[in-house]
Amino acid sequence: GAVVSQHPSRVICKSGTSVKIECRSLDFQATTMFWYRQFPKKSLMLMATSNEGSKATYEQGVEKDKFLINHASLTLSTLTVTSAHPEDSSFYICSARVPTDTGAFFGQGTRLTVV
Amino acid sequence: KNQVEQSPQSLIILEGKNCTLQCNYTVSPFSNLRWYKQDTGRGPVSLTIMTFSENTKSNGRYTATLDADTKQSSLHITASQLSDSASYICVVRFKAAGNKLTFGGGTRVLVKP
């Protein structure tokens, strides 16, 4: 099946610094990728839709200046958490739509801890 | 609002036993309904996908069913194994919602030896 690779799987950063998370589609081109946030024992919450070559679409309540998304190529989308604070600590997951598939495939997730 | 609700929230079963998870969705035509397995600290992995016209889909010991009349889907796990311990998430792609997926809250399954 299609493979979506997310990196890093875990990251610890100091409060006030920025962290970049990468999401790659390894064997297909993804014009659309999605970024989710997941709190403990909760389901995934869509943060934004990343469109290749254009601006991302953010869900209501998600700060676009806080969570910068770049989808510069058909195989890579990045999420940058800027000026991270402890409350940004969470599990972030990306997914990509496969053109030949009606569903979506997810990355492995990134555990962000801000200290 | 398109919603997806799952039950139970959690369950504990003994290794080797069967179990069934439920997923109810609200009134709306949908493109597909998918069951995912999510291990702790990992991303969701697709188990089955069904379109509106399909009734059942199997993937090894996992069998998903769909009843469009009652707007219910179930995921049946046969002969559970310790590795089945995970969260199982029902995800629906509603046509009215465009490309967005609507997630159920998930069912946390713990298989004990």
Side-chain angles (χ1 to χ4, degrees):
Chain A
V3 178
V4 176
S5 178
Q6 194 172 335
H7 177 81
S9 58
R10 289 177 178 271
V11 59
I12 300 174
C13 70
K14 291 185 177 180
S15 186
T17 61
S18 295
V19 175
K20 180 184 286 187
I21 303 171
E22 294 186 348
C23 181
R24 294 180 183 274
S25 57
L26 297 185
D27 51 1
F28 65 98
Q29 294 182 332
T31 56
T32 304
M33 291 186 175
F34 305 89
W35 287 96
Y36 298 86
R37 184 172 181 175
Q38 187 176 30
F39 293 101
K41 298 185 179 181
K42 298 293 184 182
S43 194
L44 283 71
M45 289 175 39
L46 179 64
M47 297 174 63
T49 302
S50 171
N51 302 297
E52 188 270 335
S54 64
K55 292 183 178 180
T57 304
Y58 290 82
E59 294 300 300
Q60 190 173 7
V62 178
E63 300 176 60
K64 60 181 180 181
D65 294 330
K66 173 74 170 176
F67 299 99
L68 299 179
I69 291 174
N70 184 280
H71 195 158
S73 77
L74 288 171
T75 60
L76 174 65
S77 176
T78 61
L79 168 68
T80 302
V81 182
T82 63
S83 187
H85 289 105
E87 56 264 32
D88 297 326
S89 298
S90 192
F91 193 57
Y92 294 88
I93 306 174
C94 71
S95 76
R97 292 198 68 193
V98 181
T100 56
D101 192 287
T102 54
F105 290 86
F106 291 85
Q108 305 95 317
T110 297
R111 170 71 60 192
L112 170 63
T113 302
V114 184
V115 298
Chain B
K1 180 180 179 181
N2 297 317
Q3 288 186 325
V4 178
E5 295 185 355
Q6 291 185 242
S7 62
Q9 285 190 333
S10 63
L11 74 144
I12 300 173
I13 58 174
L14 293 177
E15 185 179 12
K17 299 296 184 181
N18 305 333
C19 69
T20 300
L21 316 180
Q22 298 292 340
C23 173
N24 297 334
Y25 57 94
T26 55
V27 179
S28 180
F30 65 84
S31 297
N32 57 72
L33 185 150
R34 208 155 189 162
W35 283 93
Y36 286 89
K37 177 186 179 186
Q38 185 179 22
D39 293 312
T40 301
R42 306 286 292 178
V45 174
S46 179
L47 293 177
T48 63
I49 180 171
M50 288 183 292
T51 61
F52 189 78
S53 60
E54 294 180 294
N55 299 120
T56 185
K57 188 68 69 75
S58 290
N59 178 3
R61 295 180 296 102
Y62 301 103
T63 299
T65 62
L66 176 64
D67 186 332
D69 292 331
T70 60
K71 299 179 180 56
Q72 292 182 328
S73 176
S74 64
L75 180 68
H76 187 73
I77 304 176
T78 303
S80 62
Q81 300 177 358
L82 297 180
S83 59
D84 292 331
S85 296
S87 288
Y88 293 83
I89 307 172
C90 175
V91 183
V92 183
R93 185 186 298 278
F94 290 106
K95 291 183 177 180
N99 291 329
K100 295 181 182 178
L101 302 176
T102 302
F103 290 78
T107 294
R108 297 173 63 85
V109 174
L110 176 61
V111 181
K112 287 191 171 182

